[in-house]
C-alpha cells in the first residue's frame, strides 16, 4: 500500500502527517518552501484546550508549554468599565497562546523522529491524477518527481493548488474584518492577563472608538490587535505607531487611576518599566524607542507613554470562505485549503487541527483495513458541517456587534446590550458557545442506526475525566485518544480497589470479552464518575474524542453495532464526491476561485458584513451529498475533474492491488509516469516502509474475528465485513 501524500508543511499538514505516523501509516509531506521557518513575532495562534490536548498527544506538549503562555485571566472592558473577568485554573483551563513559528518548529521536531514520515522541501505540486488504486502527483523544483500515494490531502493554504487541480470552488466573502497587528516588548498593568478593550478612550480626551486586544506571550512580549474600520485604507507605519502609543498611554493612565481596564489600584503606581529600543525603532523614530516624554507637548490631559520595544507589525485581513467539496475520490482538503474563518476572535487554525484529527484515524482505517465510502465521506459531512455552523454564527453576529452598536439597535431594544456584545466576543476569543466551542457531530453518518437509548447526547466531545487504564495507572481520558475506540465503564468505588480485583469483578469480564470481539481496535477504561452518567454506564468514544453512545450495562450486540457504525458500517457504494450544498454566502456576492484571488469586488458602498442572506451557510446533511442547488454558490460545472469520480475508481475492498508490496520500495524517479496501473508500494523514506501492525494493508474491508460476541448473529458479522 502506498503512503499518504500531504501537500503543505504548515501546522495542519504537519499535524496530519504526525497523526498518521502514530497510527502506523507512512506519509510524505510535500513542502513548496525550501524548509526554513520564518519567525514572525506578530504571527501567533491561540489554541483551545481540545486542540492543545491533540498536539500534546502528538508529542508537542513540552515544546508548546515552554514557548507559549497560558493566561491567568481574561478581562473585557468597555471604555473605562470592566464588564467581564474570567479567571482560569485547573477546572477552567486557559487557551495556550503560541508564536506560530514555535508551533511549526515543535511539529517538525516531533516529525523528524518518525521513521514513517518524511518532509520533502522545494516540491511544488503541478499535476494530479487518480485511478482505481491511488493518486499520482507530479512536483517541480529541485525535488521534482512523480509521487505515488494511496490518498492525498491538500493542506496547502488559502491558494491551494490541490483545490484548484480538483476544480473545487471556494466561494465566500472577502475582508470581513481587518486588524492592525503589532508584537512588542513592554510591561502592561495586568501581567499575564489578556484584555479585550472596546471603545477605549483616546489621548487628550478626544472621544472613544475602536476595539483593541492585548494578549501576553512569554518574555514580556505582547500581541496587540486593533480592529480597523471597513475599507482598504493603507495602515502607514506612523499610523500604527500612533495606535501603539495611544493604547499604552491610556492603559497606563487608567491603571494609575484605578479604573476597570487597569485592574484597579493594585497596578497603579507601578514603576521601573523596562526600556529599550526595538530593531524597528530607527524606522519609526522616537516612537519606536517608547520614550516616556509626554505625547502632548506638556498637555496635562495626555498621559505619558511607557517604554516599549517594537518587534514586528502587520495587517491581518479575515476572509470567510468554504470549499464546495472536501473530498474527491482519494483526494481531500483540510485547513485553510478547505475553509477560511477568523472574525470575532475565532481561530481558523483550531478548525484546521480538528480537520487533521478527524481525518487521520479514518485514513488509517482505510489504509490498514480498507474503508467504506461512508467512512471517507463522513470527514466532509462532519467537518464541513461544523465549520458551516461556525461561519453562520459569525455571520449572524457581525451586524449586531459592528453595525448594531453604531446604530444603537441593541441598546434600544435590550438592557445591558454592551455586556451582551462583550459576552459574544469573549466566546469567540475563549473558544466557547457557537463562535468557538468544540463541535458536536450529533448527525454524523457514523452514528449507530439504533440509538442505545443512553442519557448523554451523542456526538459531543467527551469530558476529560480521570480514568484507570488497563495497566492500573490513572490518566486523563483525552490522553488515551487517537489509537482506536475507548470503551469506558463508569464504576464508582473502583479507584480504591487493586487492579487484580476489579479486572475480574462485576461487569468487567463480560465487558472485556465483548470489546475483544469488536471489529476495530478498542481499549477498556474505568472511570469513577462521568458528568450525567449513572453507575454501570458504558461509554463508547471515537478516536477523536466524540461520544458514540452511552448505554446502561454491558450490551455486546449494541457495542458491536457502535463499533461497526464508527468504521462506516463496512458498506461501500458511496459517491466519493462527498458533500455539496451551498457554500458561504452573504455580503456582496463574492464567488472567487480561492484565497483572495479572483473575487468579484463588493458592491459600491457595501459593508463587508452587511447584506447577509437569510441562510448564508446551509448545512450539509449527513449522508446526503447531491449538489442540486441553483443559487449563486451552487457548483454548476458541467463535468467532474477527470479521473476523480469514485464510480470509475472505487476503493478496493475485497481485492487489494495485485502488485502491492511487490519487490523493494524505491524513491520515485523523475521519469516515473503514472501511465497504466502504477506499481504498488510506498515511496521510500529510509529504505523501506515496514508493514504496520502485522496486517495486510489494503486487504478485505473490515475483516473481523469470527469470535462472535454474545448477542451478535453470524449474519450481522457477515454484513459488517463488507
Amino acid at each position: 500500500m502506498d503512503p499518504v501524500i500531504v501537500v503543505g508543511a504548515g501546522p495542519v499538514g504537519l499535524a496530519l502527517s504526525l497523526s498518521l505516523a502514530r497510527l502506523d501509516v507512512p506519509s510524505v509531506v510535500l513542502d513548496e518552501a525550501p524548509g526554513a521557518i520564518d519567525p514572525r513575532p506578530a504571527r501567533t495562534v491561540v489554541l483551545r484546550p481540545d486542540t492543545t490536548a491533540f498536539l500534546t498527544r502528538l508529542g508537542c506538549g513540552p515544546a508548546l508549554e515552554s514557548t507559549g503562555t497560558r493566561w491567568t485571566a481574561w478581562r473585557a472592558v468597555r471604555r473605562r468599565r470592566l464588564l467581564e473577568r474570567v479567571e482560569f485554573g485547573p477546572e477552567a483551563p486557559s487557551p495556550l497562546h503560541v508564536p506560530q513559528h514555535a508551533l511549526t518548529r515543535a511539529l517538525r521536531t516531533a516529525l523528524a523522529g518518525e521513521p514513517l514520515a518524511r518532509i520533502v522541501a522545494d516540491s511544488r505540486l503541478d499535476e494530479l491524477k487518480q485511478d482505481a488504486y491511488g493518486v499520482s502527483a507530479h512536483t517541480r523544483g529541485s525535488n521534482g518527481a512523480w509521487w505515488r500515494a494511496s490518498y492525498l490531502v491538500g493542506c496547502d493554504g488559502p491558494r491551494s493548488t490541490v483545490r484548484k487541480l480538483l476544480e473545487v470552488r471556494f466561494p465566500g466573502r472577502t475582508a470581513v474584518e481587518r486588524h492592525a497587528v503589532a508584537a512588542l516588548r513592554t510591561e502592561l498593568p495586568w501581567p499575564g492577563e489578556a484584555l479585550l478593550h472596546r471603545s477605549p478612550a483616546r489621548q487628550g480626551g478626544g472621544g472613544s472608538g475602536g476595539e483593541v486586544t492585548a494578549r501576553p506571550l512569554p518574555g514580556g512580549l505582547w500581541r496587540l490587535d486593533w480592529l480597523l474600520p471597513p475599507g482598504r485604507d493603507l495602515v502607514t507605519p506612523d499610523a500604527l505607531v500612533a495606535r501603539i502609543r495611544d493604547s499604552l498611554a491610556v492603559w497606563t493612565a487608567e491603571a494609575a487611576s484605578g479604573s476597570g481596564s487597569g485592574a484597579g489600584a493594585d497596578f497603579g503606581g507601578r514603576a521601573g518599566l523596562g526600556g529599550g529600543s526595538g530593531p524597528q525603532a530607527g524606522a519609526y523614530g522616537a516612537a519606536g524607542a517608547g520614550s516616556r516624554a509626554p505625547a502632548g507637548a506638556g498637555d496635562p490631559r495626555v498621559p505619558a507613554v511607557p517604554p516599549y520595544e517594537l518587534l514586528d507589525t502587520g495587517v491581518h485581513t479575515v476572509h470567510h470562505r468554504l470549499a464546495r467539496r472536501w473530498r474527491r475520490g482519494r483526494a481531500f482538503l483540510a485547513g485553510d485549503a478547505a475553509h477560511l474563518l477568523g472574525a470575532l476572535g475565532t481561530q481558523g487554525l483550531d478548525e484546521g487541527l480538528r480537520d487533521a484529527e478527524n481525518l487521520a484515524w479514518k485514513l488509517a482505517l482505510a489504509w490498514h483495513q480498507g474503508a467504506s465510502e461512508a467512512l471517507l465521506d463522513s470527514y466532509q459531512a462532519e467537518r464541513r458541517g461544523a465549520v458551516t455552523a461556525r461561519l453562520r454564527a459569525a455571520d449572524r453576529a457581525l451586524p449586531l456587534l459592528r453595525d448594531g452598536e453604531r446604530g444603537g439597535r441593541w441598546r434600544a431594544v435590550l438592557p445591558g446590550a454592551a455586556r451582551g456584545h462583550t459576552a459574544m466576543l469573549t466566546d469567540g476569543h475563549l473558544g466557547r458557545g457557537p463562535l468557538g466551542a468544540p463541535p458536536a457531530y450529533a448527525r454524523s453518518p457514523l452514528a449507530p442506526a439504533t440509538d442505545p437509548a443512553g442519557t448523554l447526547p451523542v456526538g459531543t466531545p467527551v469530558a476529560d475525566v480521570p480514568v484507570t487504564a488497563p495497566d492500573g495507572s490513572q490518566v486523563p481520558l483525552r490522553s488515551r485518544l487517537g489509537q482506536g475506540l475507548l470503551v469506558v465503564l463508569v464504576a464508582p468505588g473502583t479507584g480504591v480497589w487493586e487492579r487484580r480485583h476489579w479486572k475480574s469483578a462485576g461487569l468487567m469480564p463480560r465487558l472485556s470479552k465483548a470489546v475483544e470481539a469488536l471489529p476495530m481496535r478498542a481499549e477498556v477504561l474505568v472511570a469513577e464518575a462521568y458528568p450525567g452518567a449513572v453507575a454501570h454506564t458504558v461509554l463508547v468514544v471515537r478516536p477523536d474524542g466524540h461520544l458514540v453512545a452511552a448505554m446502561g450495562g454491558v450490551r455486546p450486540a449494541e457495542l458491536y453495532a457502535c463499533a461497526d457504525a464508527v468504521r462506516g458500517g463496512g458498506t461501500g457504494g458511496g459517491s466519493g464526491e462527498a458533500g455539496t450544498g451551498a457554500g458561504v454566502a452573504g455580503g456582496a456576492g463574492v464567488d472567487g476561485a480561492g484565497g483572495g484571488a479572483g473575487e468579484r469586488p463588493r458592491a459600491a458602498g457595501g459593508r463587508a458584513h452587511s447584506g447577509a442572506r437569510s441562510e448564508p451557510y446551509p448545512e450539509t446533511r449527513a449522508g446526503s451529498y447531491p449538489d442540486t442547488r441553483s443559487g449563486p454558490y451552487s457548483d454548476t460545472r458541467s463535468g467532474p475533474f477527470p479521473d476523480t469520480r469514485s464510480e470509475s475508481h472505487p476503493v478496493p475492498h475485497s481485492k487489494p492491488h495485485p502488485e502491492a508490496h511487490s519487490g523493494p520500495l524505491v524513491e520515485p524517479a523523475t521519469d516515473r509516469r503514472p501511465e497504466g496501473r502504477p506499481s504498488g508500494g510506498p515511496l521510500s523514506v529510509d529504505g523501506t516502509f515496514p508493514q504496520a501492525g502485522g496486517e495486510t494493508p489494503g486487504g478485505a474491508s473490515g475483516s473481523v474475528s469470527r469470535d462472535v460476541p454474545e448477542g451478535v448473529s453470524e449474519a450481522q458479522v457477515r454484513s459488517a465485513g463488507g
Side-chain angles (χ1 to χ4, degrees), residues 331-614:
F332 300 81
L333 298 175
D336 286 351
H339 51 77
L340 293 177
L341 69 163
L344 306 179
T346 57
Q347 294 283 318
L349 181 59
D350 260 342
E351 297 299 340
L353 292 173
R354 289 165 182 153
D355 295 344
E357 185 176 21
N358 185 285
L359 183 57
W361 68 269
K362 296 174 182 178
L363 289 181
L365 272 179
W367 199 88
H368 286 295
Q369 300 181 12
S372 69
E373 293 296 314
L375 177 67
L376 299 179
D377 282 351
S378 70
Y379 165 65
Q380 171 177 297
E382 293 173 348
R383 291 301 307 140
R384 190 179 187 274
V387 174
T388 297
R390 193 82 75 222
L391 286 168
R392 184 189 296 113
D395 194 56
R396 291 174 177 173
L398 272 166
L400 295 174
L401 291 172
R402 305 304 185 213
D403 289 341
E405 182 174 282
R406 282 188 287 270
R409 256 191 292 169
W410 268 30
R411 288 197 301 273
V413 177
L414 298 176
R419 189 175 298 275
H421 286 144
T422 301
M424 293 178 69
L425 288 169
T426 297
D427 283 350
H429 283 281
L430 300 187
R432 308 186 310 192
L435 289 177
Y441 306 137
R443 293 159 54 185
S444 169
L446 304 185
T450 303
D451 188 352
T455 58
L456 300 176
V458 299
T460 55
V462 292
D464 197 19
V465 299
V467 295
T468 302
D471 60 1
S473 61
Q474 285 249 339
V475 295
L477 174 58
R478 298 194 70 88
S479 69
R480 309 297 289 192
L481 297 175
Q483 295 295 316
L485 285 179
L486 298 182
V487 179
V488 184
L489 173 64
V490 180
T494 52
V496 299
W497 291 18
E498 292 185 15
R499 175 175 176 270
R500 58 192 176 91
H501 294 308
W502 61 257
K503 285 287 288 182
S504 58
L507 300 178
M508 283 300 295
R510 189 177 179 211
L511 180 61
S512 299
K513 182 179 179 182
V515 169
E516 288 173 0
L518 295 181
M520 60 182 293
R521 178 178 177 179
E523 180 182 33
V524 179
L525 303 171
V526 179
E528 283 269 348
Y530 189 89
V534 299
H536 300 158
T537 298
V538 175
L539 310 176
V540 182
V541 184
R542 292 181 0 170
D544 56 355
H546 289 263
L547 186 65
V548 180
M551 58 190 74
V554 179
R555 306 178 186 177
E558 293 180 4
L559 273 175
Y560 191 95
C562 288
D564 191 50
V566 167
R567 64 175 189 146
T571 58
S575 69
E577 294 268 346
T580 51
V584 222
V590 181
D591 193 3
E599 300 96 356
R600 298 180 196 147
R602 289 175 291 143
R607 287 177 124 34
H609 54 267
S610 63
R613 300 172 187 268
S614 58

Side-chain angles (χ1 to χ4, degrees), residues 22 43 82 254 261 312 353 366-368 391 397 481 495 514 567 651 666 688 697:
R22 299 295 168 86
R43 193 172 187 181
L82 178 64
E254 291 181 354
S261 64
D312 192 18
L353 292 173
W367 199 88
H368 286 295
L391 286 168
L481 297 175
R567 64 175 189 146
V651 179
V666 297
T688 62

Side-chain angles (χ1 to χ4, degrees), residues 187-376:
E187 187 172 339
L188 295 185
W190 50 89
E193 296 188 13
L195 170 73
L196 169 65
H197 198 167
R198 307 182 63 226
S199 302
R202 298 187 184 280
Q203 286 189 2
S208 64
E211 178 181 298
V212 58
T213 307
R215 290 171 287 196
L217 286 162
L221 269 63
W222 292 81
R223 169 171 165 166
L224 273 59
D225 293 67
W226 295 267
L227 178 66
L228 298 174
R232 298 186 178 275
D233 297 337
L234 294 177
V235 181
T236 64
D238 288 342
L240 185 54
V241 168
R243 287 179 179 272
I244 295 172
R245 294 171 61 83
D246 187 270
S247 297
L248 296 181
V250 167
W251 290 336
T252 302
E254 291 181 354
S257 66
S259 60
S261 64
D266 289 345
F267 300 114
R270 182 180 290 275
L273 295 178
S277 58
Q280 302 187 28
Y284 298 137
S291 171
R292 263 192 183 277
D299 188 339
R301 297 175 304 168
V302 181
V305 179
Y308 66 91
E309 179 185 0
L310 185 58
L311 303 176
D312 192 18
T313 62
V315 174
H316 172 56
T317 303
V318 175
H319 306 287
H320 278 180
R321 294 186 173 277
L322 188 66
R324 287 287 182 206
R325 294 179 171 87
W326 291 26
R327 176 195 176 203
R328 276 202 163 170
R330 290 173 172 262
F332 300 81
L333 298 175
D336 286 351
H339 51 77
L340 293 177
L341 69 163
L344 306 179
T346 57
Q347 294 283 318
L349 181 59
D350 260 342
E351 297 299 340
L353 292 173
R354 289 165 182 153
D355 295 344
E357 185 176 21
N358 185 285
L359 183 57
W361 68 269
K362 296 174 182 178
L363 289 181
L365 272 179
W367 199 88
H368 286 295
Q369 300 181 12
S372 69
E373 293 296 314
L375 177 67
L376 299 179

